Every structure is written in structure tokens, then in C-alpha cells.
Amino acid sequence: MSIRNKLLIFIPLLVLLMNLVTYFLFQSGTIVQESYDLIMGRVLKYKETAEAAEDSLKAVYSYLLHPTEDMKTVAAGKLTQISALHSSLMETGAVPPLASSLTGYGNMIQTLLSLEQQSLAAAENGKASEAFSHYLEAEKTVSFIRSEGQRLVEGELDYYRPVYRSIQADNAHLYKLGAAVFALITTLSIVVALWISRSITAPVSALVRSADSVSKGNLDTVLPDGGKDELAALSSAFNKMLAGLKESIEKDREIAEKEQLVKTLELRALQSQINPHFLYNTLNALSKLALLEDAEKTSDLIVSMSSFLRYNLQNLDRQVPLRSELEHVKEYIRLQQARFRDRVEFRLDIEEKALDVRVPSLTLQPIIENAFVHGIAHMESGAVISLIVREDTSDTKIIISDNGQGMTEEIREALLSRSQSVQAPEAPRPQASGQTKTGGRSTGLGTRNVFRRLELVYGREDLVQISSQPGKGTTVMLTIPARRSGINSVSADDSR
């Protein structure tokens, strides 16, 4: 039986049983209360009538002694009160043996009212002796009313005494029955509650223990099957989930190993391609300069070249401060200025607080080299290359732009395409229409490799934006996240 059916059957049954017992006891109590009300109502009316008769007699006497309007008003009010009590008493009636006595009692009250009214009227007309005569008759009548009222009260009590004792016996029996039923219902409630709670808590406790064991890495936990309620279905689903989780973990482990191997191979390919890109142009510039200048200046350039090579040939999986990358770019610019002289202007707009962010080694130089080789190399004057570094709220923006010949949309999409990011060194490389190769080589593939390396390191594909039009220059914007969300490091020496 399901938990829902258990709750829907047993709990309403217990509630119904308790309500029936409660209703039975309530009805019995109501009957007893009605009997009490009937007896006490008549007794109280007899008492109230007798007391009202005495009060009205006192009020008439006070008026006879002090015939003022206030006293007359009080006396008239007392007469009205006793008249109302007389009407109510006659409507209520009495038990059959006392019916005739009640009629006589009512006649005495009417006689009292008549005598008091005559006494008040005589006193008002100045007939004092007649007024006191009526008052004395009224006083005797009140004495009779008091005695008759007491006799009626005793008669009522004598009549209802057997009924009262029967009610008391019934009440005692009902109390015993109610206590027995209460004990039975309480016992049944405890038994049913224990049964239902055990059928719920035992599987839940087992499920909690299994979940705790799984959270600690133990996936060999198996919950016992059995039962037809919802918790049994939950246990079965938990076992299936564990089996699927084991299978999924095994597949993920295999996929992770494959992806790690692929990323390692990609980075190795990227490193082998990026390192030598700029060497040809730089050595060509040094050879030409050696022919035109003295050896001292050439020596200085060779020192810069040595520093440049030392940085350029380091492992590409290193993370370095952007400050180091900027110094490396400045060495490269110094070498290129020896070649281009006044043909090109370099503009640096650097925000100092943004230079502490860490980036993959050799991120900026290949892009600036691409601006030289494919952007402004053909320009005889007026060439401008700018580098802007800004710190944003959650990342760092690096903007590299030139006013060179730009590139077509096809070349721009090729540079951003992941499908072409890793190719053999001899593969064709994108080149803007009309741009010349330097020594038959282009650095477009190296630029794509820089972009791909950023994707691998940070685990995101939205870090590079390129805007360019033929003849209007090119702008490359790199976004460096404040916190790396991708892989921490992929060693180029991983030999798996």
C-alpha cells in the first residue's frame, strides 16, 4: 500500500471515530444541560417573583410615608417589573402536579398588584387611612406569595429528583465509556502513527545514509529493493541513478583524458609554430643595419635581440604578468624601429593598475608583429600602431590597432575560426588582398594560434574581437578575465 493511501485511509478513520465519540458526549451533555436549565429556570423565577413582590411592597410603603413624584415613579416601576415576571412565569408553566398551585400563585400576584395600585391611588387622592388599609392587605398577600413560592420550589425539586438521579447515573456511565473510548483511540493512534512513521522513516534513513556515503565518494552503496510505496520507488530510482552515475563518471574520465591529451598536443603545436615567426624579419633588419651603421649601434640591437629571444623562447604554458608582456613588446618595438625608423609611430596608452593581471606568455607580440607585417609594412610614412590597456570592472581590455591596409571579411573570419586554429606549418595562411609576404612567409597562422591558446587557457570563446576594413586599418581587442575559468595550466612537457 502506498504512503498516500495509508494516510488517506487511517487518518480520516481515526478522526471520524474521535468526532463520533465527541458528538455523542456533546449530545448527552446537552440533554443534561437542558434539564438543568429547565429546573433552575422555574426555581429562579419563583424566587425572583417573591423578591419582586417584597420590593414593590417596600416601594409602596416608601411612597406612603413620603408621597413625592420620585417615590411614585419608583413604586410604579416595581409594579411594572412584577407584572412582567408574572406574565413570564405563567407562560413557562409548571410540572403537572403543580399546575393548579401555579394558577393560585399567579392569582395572588395579581391580587398584590391590585392592592398596591389601590393604595397608590388612595394616597394620591389624599385618603391616607384607605391607602394604609390597602397596604396592610398587600402585606398579607406578600406573605402568602413568599410561602406559596417556597412550596412551589420544593415541589419542583421533588418532582425532578428521580430524573436528576437518573441523569447523574447516565453521566457516570458516559464518563466511563468516554474514558475507555479515549484510551482505545489513543492506543490506535499511537499504533497507526508508529506503523506509518516506521514505513516512512526506515527507508528515508537508509536513503540518507546511502546519500551520505555517496557524498564521500562511495558509489558502491545499494539500497534494498522491496515494497510498493513511493519510497520503494525512490530507492529503486536512487540505485539506477548510482549505476548511471558510475557509468557517467567512467565516460567523463575517459573524455577528460582525451581532452587533456588533445589540449597538450594543441599547445605543443602552437609553441612550435609561434616561436620562430618574427626571426626572419628581425635578422634581415639587423643585417641591413650592419651595412649602414657602425658596430656599436648594431651591438645594442643585438643585446635587445638577445633579450627578446630569451623571452620569446620560454615555455608557452607559463602565465606571466601583463607588465612583463608589455616590456617584451617594447623590446620588439625597439627592434622594429631600427628597421622602419620614422615610417611608423608607436602610441602606448597604458593603465598602470591593469598590468598585474596574468596572461599566457607571448600573447601581445604576435599580434603587434601581424600589424607590422600585414598592416603598415607597405606604408612609406604616416603609419601608426597603438596599444591601449584598460582595467574594466571584471576584466582587462587590451586594444591593438593600426591604420594600415586592413583585411577582408573572409580573412577576419578565418583568423577567428576555431576550425582552422591548429594546422600543420605548411598549410596555407590567410592574407589580405594585395599584401606582400616578407620573405615568402606570413604570420596569420601565428595570430590564430594566439587566439586559440587564449580559448584553451581561459575556457571561453568570446575573448577576441577583430574589426577591420580594407584600406582603413585593423583593431584587435582582447578580453582577459579577472579570474581564469578554464584550465590552470597545460604543460608542454606532458608526455602522455
Side-chain angles (χ1 to χ4, degrees), residues 400-427:
I400 302 170
S401 61
D402 65 75
N403 61 345
Q405 64 183 13
M407 64 181 74
T408 64
E409 182 64 20
E410 291 78 8
I411 296 177
R412 192 188 73 85
E413 291 180 356
L415 287 174
L416 295 175
S417 173
R418 294 187 64 193
S419 62
Q420 303 182 31
S421 61
V422 179
Q423 300 181 14
E426 65 272 9

Side-chain angles (χ1 to χ4, degrees), residues 104 123 187 207 251 285-286 334 391 405:
T187 304
L207 185 61
K251 289 182 180 179
L286 290 176
R334 188 177 296 112
E391 185 179 51
Q405 64 183 13

Side-chain angles (χ1 to χ4, degrees), residues 2-44:
S2 68
I3 297 174
R4 182 173 181 271
N5 290 336
K6 293 177 184 177
L7 297 176
L8 290 178
I9 292 175
F10 291 103
I11 292 180
L13 283 178
L14 288 175
V15 173
L16 179 62
L17 182 59
M18 293 180 65
N19 289 338
L20 288 176
V21 173
T22 303
Y23 178 76
F24 178 70
L25 295 175
F26 174 75
Q27 286 297 105
S28 300
T30 302
I31 294 173
V32 173
Q33 186 65 41
E34 289 176 352
S35 300
Y36 286 154
D37 291 343
L38 181 61
I39 296 172
M40 295 306 297
R42 288 174 178 172
V43 170
L44 289 175

Side-chain angles (χ1 to χ4, degrees), residues 57 82 103 113 231 347 396 415 446 449:
L57 184 63
I82 195 172
T103 301
L113 288 172
L231 291 175
R347 297 176 182 175
T396 300
L415 287 174
N449 286 341

Side-chain angles (χ1 to χ4, degrees), residues 371-436:
F372 270 108
V373 175
H374 297 301
I376 55 92
H378 67 288
M379 299 177 65
E380 295 297 329
S381 63
V384 177
I385 297 177
S386 66
L387 172 61
I388 301 174
V389 179
R390 290 285 183 271
E391 185 179 51
D392 205 345
T393 55
S394 59
D395 47 40
T396 300
K397 302 293 185 181
I398 302 174
I399 303 172
I400 302 170
S401 61
D402 65 75
N403 61 345
Q405 64 183 13
M407 64 181 74
T408 64
E409 182 64 20
E410 291 78 8
I411 296 177
R412 192 188 73 85
E413 291 180 356
L415 287 174
L416 295 175
S417 173
R418 294 187 64 193
S419 62
Q420 303 182 31
S421 61
V422 179
Q423 300 181 14
E426 65 272 9
R429 305 177 183 183
Q431 183 174 336
S433 176
Q435 78 179 36
T436 59

